[in-house]
Amino acid sequence: LFSGQGCNLEKLTEFIALNTVVVNDDRIFALALQVYADMKVDFVDALLYAHKKVHGDQIVTFDQKLLRLLNTD
């Protein structure tokens, strides 16, 4: 379900619809889900990317794959 490869967006959407999942910022979570579903990245990396895109947050990392993602526009 959360492997990053062959991600099932429908199952993820069902998962976040559960009452036990709390989402603080719908825009960040929606973008993170989309990036996670479309690209081969970890969900945490997709969340960091979404934070940068939505709020302009500065992300500092040594992770080369995440750096490439963060530098795409």
Side-chain angles (χ1 to χ4, degrees), residues 1-2 5-17 29-38 43:
L1 177 62
F2 296 108
Q5 295 180 348
C7 169
N8 186 326
L9 190 55
E10 182 179 330
K11 288 190 184 276
L12 285 173
T13 304
E14 290 172 11
F15 175 73
I16 64 168
F29 202 73
L31 178 57
L33 278 177
Q34 191 62 53
V35 169
Y36 179 73
D38 292 346
F43 188 68

Side-chain angles (χ1 to χ4, degrees), residues 3-69:
S3 69
Q5 295 180 348
C7 169
N8 186 326
L9 190 55
E10 182 179 330
K11 288 190 184 276
L12 285 173
T13 304
E14 290 172 11
F15 175 73
I16 64 168
L18 298 173
N19 291 333
T20 56
V21 177
V22 177
V23 176
N24 292 324
D25 189 324
D26 292 341
R27 297 171 302 160
I28 288 177
F29 202 73
L31 178 57
L33 278 177
Q34 191 62 53
V35 169
Y36 179 73
D38 292 346
M39 307 176 115
K40 293 181 180 180
V41 297
D42 293 329
F43 188 68
V44 171
D45 291 350
L47 276 174
L48 290 169
Y49 172 83
H51 272 276
K52 178 183 178 195
K53 290 298 178 183
V54 172
H55 293 297
D57 294 343
Q58 181 179 4
I59 308 298
V60 179
T61 182
F62 292 108
D63 184 324
Q64 294 300 311
K65 191 173 183 178
L66 176 55
L67 283 172
R68 284 191 299 275
L69 177 64

